[in-house]
Amino acid sequence: MSPTDVKLGDNHLKSIFLEHLNSIYFGKHHLLAFFDEIETIASLQQLKLAIDELRTDTHKQIDYMDDIYHSIDAEPSKISVLGIKGVTLEAYLSVIKSGKTPLERDVFILFYLQIIEGIEVTYFKVLKNLAKEIGYNCTFLDQPFDLAVENKFLFEAIHKEYIS
């Protein structure tokens, strides 16, 4: 069977959309605590400011997603976010590992923040594609998607500046 042979009904697509929305929504809630932890560990002031900006953007994205739930007449439903939790646990353990210099810790923080933002960009892109297929107005995902892209570029720029 080829992908063109598979036909998903609207209800199935809506279910997949909602599951992905729940994943990123509760992943964002988990990330807020992670940002607090790594901000205290970071030594570079520019990195601390970027993490603070990321926290603010994350609150905005959660607000946007609350609006999405409201517009599709749905409620957030708690879902396992083991993937994000695994990445943040690995990041935390890598960053606090004994013997790392402040520079090394900052580089690890930047590396993991880029991974997390890459995951978020992918989630929002998938949501945009699903929304379009279902017939939802996918422009309501533009803001959270754009924030994720901007943050990914921000951390890439800091990383390049820091290690060069």
Side-chain angles (χ1 to χ4, degrees):
M1 194 183 306
S2 73
T4 56
D5 296 329
V6 177
K7 300 291 182 217
L8 298 175
D10 277 353
N11 287 340
H12 197 94
L13 287 172
K14 287 177 183 178
S15 174
I16 293 169
F17 177 87
L18 194 54
E19 187 171 339
H20 279 75
L21 184 61
N22 286 330
S23 292
I24 191 68
Y25 183 82
F26 287 102
K28 287 287 190 182
H29 281 280
H30 168 75
L31 288 172
L32 288 171
F34 174 70
F35 298 151
D36 291 341
E37 291 176 16
I38 61 170
E39 186 177 20
T40 62
I41 296 169
S43 62
L44 180 66
Q45 187 60 29
Q46 182 182 10
L47 179 55
K48 287 179 177 284
L49 292 171
I51 293 168
D52 187 56
E53 180 180 329
L54 183 58
R55 183 184 303 103
T56 300
D57 289 348
T58 298
H59 283 291
K60 288 178 189 173
Q61 288 170 316
I62 290 171
D63 289 344
Y64 288 127
M65 287 184 279
D66 283 334
D67 291 343
I68 293 168
Y69 282 111
H70 179 70
S71 72
I72 63 172
D73 198 29
E75 293 290 326
S77 180
K78 189 76 171 167
I79 192 166
S80 171
V81 289
L82 289 177
I84 290 289
K85 286 182 177 181
V87 170
T88 58
L89 176 61
E90 181 182 322
Y92 187 73
L93 293 174
S94 295
V95 169
I96 65 168
K97 192 174 180 180
S98 64
K100 288 211 180 342
T101 66
L103 168 66
E104 291 169 325
R105 287 193 305 263
D106 286 348
V107 169
F108 272 87
I109 289 169
L110 286 162
F111 170 73
Y112 281 101
L113 287 173
Q114 289 176 74
I115 290 172
I116 289 166
E117 288 307 308
I119 292 168
E120 289 180 10
V121 167
T122 301
Y123 260 115
F124 285 121
K125 185 66 176 166
V126 167
L127 283 171
K128 286 173 68 110
N129 290 339
L130 284 168
K132 182 179 176 186
E133 196 60 37
I134 295 167
Y136 290 155
N137 178 355
C138 62
T139 59
F140 57 61
L141 288 159
D142 288 345
Q143 284 295 94
F145 174 78
D146 291 346
L147 286 172
V149 170
E150 289 170 14
N151 287 325
K152 185 174 185 309
F153 288 138
L154 171 65
F155 289 110
E156 287 174 3
I158 295 171
H159 191 259
K160 286 179 186 175
E161 182 180 323
Y162 204 167
I163 64 171
S164 60

